[in-house]
Amino acid sequence: MNALRPSASLPGDSPVESPSAPLRAPTPVSRDDFESIYAAHFKQVWGALRRLGVREADVADVSQKVFITAYRKLDSFEGRAHVRTWLLGICERTASDYRRSAPVRREVATDVATIELTAPERTDVVAELGSRQRLQIAETLLDKLPEAQRAVFVLFELEELSGPEIAAILDISVGTVRSRLRLARETFTREVQRLTARGLSEMEGA
Amino acid sequence: MVSDPKRLLDQASATSELERNLLHSLREIDPPADAAAQGWQSLAKSIAVAGAAATLGSTSSSIQEAATLGEAAGSGASSGVRTVATTGANLSVLKAVSALVLVGGAATGVAWSVGRAPATAPSPIAVVASAPPEPAQTVIPTQPPPWVAPVELSTPAKITSPRAAAKSAESQDLLTKESELVVAARAQLRQGDVRGAGATLQELDRAVPHGKLAQEREVLRIEWLAARGDHKGAARRARAFLTAHPKSPHAARLSRFVD
C-alpha cells in the first residue's frame, strides 16, 4: 500500500526557482546518487521529521519510509529542484500520514520539573533546564499548532525554506503560506506566554 | 513582490529569549551516532541495492571475498570497518560513489554502507555498491574504482544553493563523516579489533580534528586504552572526563574505569 496520498505536484515536478538557484538542464539521476543523498541528508531528514511531529520512538522507521520514497521517486526528480527541498517535501507528506494514521498521543513529559515561571526574569529558568526537558517543552508547544500551521512554521522557521519553496511543497499559494505562518507565530507566542504565566505544572495533563 | 518575513531566529528579529531558547532546542535534534549506518543496513535490504553490482565484473569477486570473510570471521572479524560519507547536495557534481563493506558479524553477512576508501585505510574491503543502472537514466561514473586511486576525503561539494545550505551542507559532510568513523571504531572495539579501532580513532583526529562528537570520541579512546591494557591511562582520562562532564550520558559507562 502506498502510504502517501497522491499529491498534485512534487517539488521536483515544478521547478522551484529561488533567486540564487541557477537554471540547469535536468540531470538524470542514477541509483548510485541515492547513497550520496542518504549520507548527506540523513541527519536533516531525522531532525525535520521530529520537528514535524514524529515521535522519537518512531523516527527511525519513518525516516526509512522517507528514503524509500525518495529512492522510488529518484527517476522523476530530475535534479531540477534542490535535493534538500525535494526531500523536505517527502518528509512533510510522510509526517502528515504518520500523524493521521498513528494515534499520536500528545504526550507531555512527566519528568518536566514543576517550575513556576511567574516573573519575566525567570525565563532564564528554561535555559537552566536540561536540554532534554527544553526539547520536550518545545515539542509540546509545537503540538499545539494545528497541523497546517505547524508544517509552515517548521519549514520556514526551522528548516529555513523560503515562502515560495514551502508553497511548492504544500501545493498552496505563497499568500496562504504567509498567512498560515502569521497564525502559527501567533499561536506559538500565545502558548509560550501561557507557559510563562502559569508555570510548567500546567503542562502536565494538557 | 513582497518578500518573506525575517525568521524568528534571525538576530534582528524581536523574538523573546524564551522563544529563541525553545526554537533552538528544536534545531539541535540529532540522531544517535550509529543511526545512519543502522538505517542504511535495513534500507539496503528494503530496496535491494545490495548484491546487484553485476554491471562491474571486478566487483563480484570482491563481494564474494567480503561475504566469505563475513561468514568466516563471525564476531571476531578484524577487517577494517571504515565508512566515510560523501556529500551529494548538488547532483550535477557528484563523483562516483563507492561503498565499503560493513562486515557486521556472521548473522548479517554483508551489508552496504556509503563511503570512500580513505587513502590510509589498512586493508579496506571496498566494493562499489550500485544497482544495475537503467540505461535510460544512468549517469555512468568515469572514475576508476576507489581502491585503485585514493580519493581526497574532504573535497567539499560545489554547492550553488543559498548561503545557509552551502554552509550547513559542508558541516553536514564533516559531521556525517565523523559519525561514520565513530560507528566504525565502536564496531571494531566490539569485535576485538583493537589495532583497527586505534587506526580509526587516529583517522578521526586527522580528518575531523574539531568535530562535534568530541565526547563520544573521548569515550571510545578511553575504552580503547583499556582494551589494549593501559588501565592506568584509561582511568586517568575517565576521571578527567567525569570531572569535565559530570552529567554526561556517558558517565555511567565510564565509571567502571575509575575504580
Side-chain angles (χ1 to χ4, degrees):
Chain A
M1 184 197 93
N2 184 358
L4 297 181
R5 62 174 184 274
S7 77
S9 70
L10 298 167
D13 298 346
S14 48
V16 177
E17 317 263 293
S18 55
S20 52
L23 293 174
R24 44 177 191 273
T27 313
V29 171
S30 78
R31 294 286 192 261
D32 295 340
D33 298 337
F34 176 68
E35 302 175 36
S36 293
I37 291 174
Y38 180 88
H41 296 276
F42 177 82
K43 283 190 169 64
Q44 267 169 350
V45 164
W46 183 285
L49 287 174
R50 293 277 287 117
R51 290 183 276 273
L52 288 165
V54 179
R55 291 292 177 256
E56 192 171 16
D58 301 321
V59 64
D61 289 339
V62 180
S63 65
Q64 288 271 299
K65 286 205 174 81
V66 167
F67 282 107
I68 288 172
T69 305
Y71 180 75
R72 290 200 186 114
K73 290 190 185 301
L74 258 186
D75 295 340
S76 62
F77 172 52
E78 288 188 348
R80 274 185 293 179
H82 296 297
V83 174
R84 188 167 174 267
T85 311
W86 175 67
L87 275 178
L88 283 171
I90 298 175
C91 286
E92 191 277 326
R93 285 184 290 280
T94 312
S96 174
D97 287 339
Y98 162 87
R99 290 181 64 135
R100 258 189 291 120
S101 63
V104 176
R105 291 158 297 152
R106 303 279 169 96
E107 260 176 37
V108 178
T110 52
D111 62 351
V112 171
T114 329
I115 301 172
E116 291 290 317
L117 302 177
T118 48
E121 62 266 24
R122 300 251 32 225
T123 57
D124 61 324
V125 172
V126 172
E128 289 168 28
L129 286 176
S131 59
R132 186 152 186 84
Q133 290 167 323
R134 237 181 304 153
L135 175 60
Q136 284 166 338
I137 295 169
E139 275 186 87
T140 307
L141 289 171
L142 278 188
D143 281 348
K144 292 190 192 292
L145 296 173
E147 189 178 326
Q149 290 179 23
R150 183 204 187 128
V152 171
F153 186 82
V154 167
L155 291 174
F156 186 78
E157 306 291 0
L158 301 172
E159 309 306 327
E160 293 187 337
L161 293 183
S162 72
E165 286 174 321
I166 299 171
I169 283 177
L170 299 179
D171 200 19
I172 55 180
S173 71
V174 177
T176 307
V177 170
R178 302 237 168 93
S179 66
R180 281 188 196 171
L181 178 66
R182 198 182 58 249
L183 288 169
R185 285 175 164 189
E186 285 167 12
T187 309
F188 187 74
T189 299
R190 190 170 60 239
E191 291 298 330
V192 170
Q193 282 170 351
R194 282 181 69 208
L195 176 72
T196 314
R198 307 246 181 97
L200 293 176
S201 56
E202 188 198 64
M203 299 186 63
E204 289 164 16
Chain B
M1 182 177 115
V2 184
S3 57
D4 289 337
K6 283 201 179 14
R7 295 199 165 77
L8 290 179
L9 283 176
D10 263 8
Q11 297 287 23
S13 293
T15 312
S16 74
E17 200 55 45
L18 179 52
E19 280 191 23
R20 271 183 201 275
N21 231 308
L22 292 167
L23 290 171
H24 271 299
S25 71
L26 289 164
R27 285 180 78 179
E28 286 157 12
I29 297 175
D30 270 336
D34 52 2
Q38 291 205 1
W40 183 259
Q41 283 196 339
S42 36
L43 195 59
K45 283 181 201 146
S46 300
I47 65 179
V49 170
T55 47
L56 295 166
S58 57
T59 61
S60 27
S61 54
S62 310
I63 297 170
Q64 248 337 306
E65 180 190 44
T68 313
L69 268 176
E71 284 157 21
S75 59
S78 62
S79 50
V81 173
R82 306 284 279 265
T83 57
V84 173
T86 62
T87 179
N90 186 320
L91 296 179
S92 63
V93 295
L94 271 182
K95 309 214 182 248
V97 174
S98 60
L100 295 171
V101 174
L102 188 71
V103 181
T108 57
V110 175
W112 297 98
S113 184
V114 183
R116 287 180 179 166
T120 55
S123 61
I125 300 171
V127 299
V128 174
S130 52
E134 276 132 36
Q137 287 141 348
T138 309
V139 173
I140 311 275
T142 53
Q143 284 84 353
W147 58 86
V148 172
V151 185
E152 174 57 46
L153 265 182
S154 49
T155 308
K158 295 200 196 76
I159 298 169
T160 50
S161 51
R163 26 84 232 166
K167 251 189 85 172
S168 69
E170 202 184 308
S171 61
Q172 190 88 308
D173 184 27
L174 275 179
L175 186 54
T176 311
K177 184 188 310 182
E178 191 184 16
S179 76
E180 301 288 7
L181 287 171
V182 165
V183 168
R186 200 175 284 142
Q188 283 164 316
L189 277 177
R190 203 166 44 230
Q191 293 160 357
D193 177 14
V194 180
R195 216 155 50 90
T200 306
L201 288 172
Q202 224 177 1
E203 174 65 18
L204 265 169
D205 290 339
R206 188 202 71 81
V208 194
H210 308 295
K212 291 190 178 177
L213 303 178
Q215 285 197 20
E216 283 83 353
R217 288 160 66 170
E218 181 59 15
V219 169
L220 281 171
R221 178 66 72 176
I222 293 167
E223 290 175 341
W224 174 77
L225 285 170
R228 60 195 288 257
D230 181 5
H231 298 289
K232 276 206 181 125
R236 188 172 29 90
R237 284 175 85 138
R239 247 178 266 122
F241 183 100
L242 291 169
T243 308
H245 313 285
K247 297 215 182 95
S248 163
H250 305 289
R253 243 166 91 198
L254 289 178
S255 54
R256 67 184 160 111
F257 295 113
V258 172
D259 298 310

